[in-house]
Amino acid sequence: WPNDQSTELWTTQNTEVTQFDEIFTDDLITKLKLISSGTATEINKSESQKMRLASILLCNDELYSKIDELYPVDDSADEAIKRLEELKVCEIMKKIENEIIIDTENIISMIARNFYLIDKSKIKTISKPLFHSIISNDHLRIETEDWLFDVITDYFEGEDNEEESDFSDITSFVEEVRLRKLSDSKFKEMLQRIEAGKITGNLWRNI
């Protein structure tokens, strides 16, 4: 079961995801106990998302895969938002366990396929590493390159960019935009936003 450390980290850092007591309802706990004892139990579609989150928190990839088999994920905005929530939970658990056994690549690919359907306000709630992993995914679907550039600039709006990491500023994200397909106005805006000293080789090659 989730320990005190995971509960505390969840509570202090993640107001955007379903809370512990909403996931681990009495009914869900009863079903988890039946599953762990090898007893068959029925899980309906309305319970499947909570069971997915519970399986991540319990580091049980077998249970997560079983839910995937029972209720395959459809391509839609609502399902993509649910997968975003799962990625956030995976990120929490990675901080605690230093690794995550759930295959996040499939989750990221599903979000990337439906990225153009997701409201920008939802995108702003994810971490920079997760955001970058989505827009750099081979399955990414967008409206236009102008649209993707706007999503990126909106995400960084108000950022102080003092974070020390590979994703500390906007440059590595703009590298994922096919700059040759930007409109003239967006291309000019891109040149104004990127500091001359931060234009990377990859960015130059895209230009």
Side-chain angles (χ1 to χ4, degrees):
W1 296 98
N3 56 34
D4 291 341
Q5 182 185 8
S6 59
T7 304
E8 181 179 358
L9 188 58
W10 182 293
T11 303
T12 58
Q13 295 189 8
N14 293 275
T15 58
E16 296 291 333
V17 296
T18 308
Q19 294 302 299
F20 261 75
D21 56 352
E22 295 174 14
I23 297 172
F24 291 101
T25 60
D26 291 343
D27 188 49
L28 190 96
I29 290 172
T30 298
K31 292 189 176 185
L32 283 170
K33 287 180 177 178
L34 288 171
I35 292 170
S36 65
S37 67
T39 304
T41 184
E42 185 176 330
I43 298 170
N44 59 46
K45 188 171 178 61
S46 64
E47 296 171 318
S48 63
Q49 180 59 16
K50 289 182 180 180
M51 193 63 79
R52 287 177 191 271
L53 295 174
S55 66
I56 296 171
L57 286 164
L58 297 171
C59 299
N60 190 326
D61 61 330
E62 184 179 353
L63 176 58
Y64 185 91
S65 297
K66 189 63 178 178
I67 300 299
D68 254 358
E69 290 175 14
L70 289 172
Y71 299 104
V73 175
D74 298 324
D75 281 352
S76 68
D78 287 344
E79 290 297 328
I81 290 170
K82 290 176 183 178
R83 303 294 84 75
L84 277 177
E85 183 177 35
E86 290 172 21
L87 276 185
K88 293 176 188 177
V89 177
C90 287
E91 196 170 46
I92 297 169
M93 296 309 295
K94 189 172 182 180
K95 289 178 181 178
I96 298 167
E97 304 291 340
N98 295 320
E99 62 179 350
I100 184 72
I101 59 175
I102 304 297
D103 181 10
T104 57
E105 283 303 313
N106 286 336
I107 302 175
I108 292 169
S109 292
M110 185 277 171
I111 296 169
R113 288 196 307 272
N114 296 276
F115 191 64
Y116 69 104
L117 298 173
I118 303 174
D119 188 272
K120 290 179 182 179
S121 63
K122 297 293 184 182
I123 296 170
K124 286 180 72 72
T125 66
I126 62 178
S127 69
K128 289 177 183 177
L130 290 183
F131 181 35
H132 191 272
S133 69
I134 294 167
I135 66 172
S136 61
N137 186 273
D138 291 339
H139 300 282
L140 181 68
R141 293 176 64 190
I142 59 175
E143 292 183 8
T144 64
E145 298 300 326
D146 279 17
W147 177 87
L148 177 58
F149 181 76
D150 284 341
V151 169
I152 293 170
T153 54
D154 286 351
Y155 181 89
F156 278 87
E157 197 67 39
E159 287 281 332
D160 57 21
N161 296 333
E162 294 181 355
E163 178 186 350
E164 293 293 331
S165 76
D166 293 337
F167 307 112
S168 59
D169 63 54
I170 198 172
T171 307
S172 61
F173 293 80
V174 175
E175 286 178 354
E176 301 302 327
V177 179
R178 290 180 289 184
L179 301 179
R180 293 185 182 90
K181 293 193 174 184
L182 284 177
S183 63
D184 290 346
S185 61
K186 289 298 176 185
F187 189 84
K188 182 178 180 180
E189 182 182 342
M190 183 276 296
L191 293 176
Q192 292 172 335
R193 281 182 174 272
I194 306 296
E195 298 175 25
K198 291 185 177 180
I199 296 181
T200 63
N202 286 336
L203 204 56
W204 274 118
R205 282 189 286 275
N206 283 343
I207 295 172

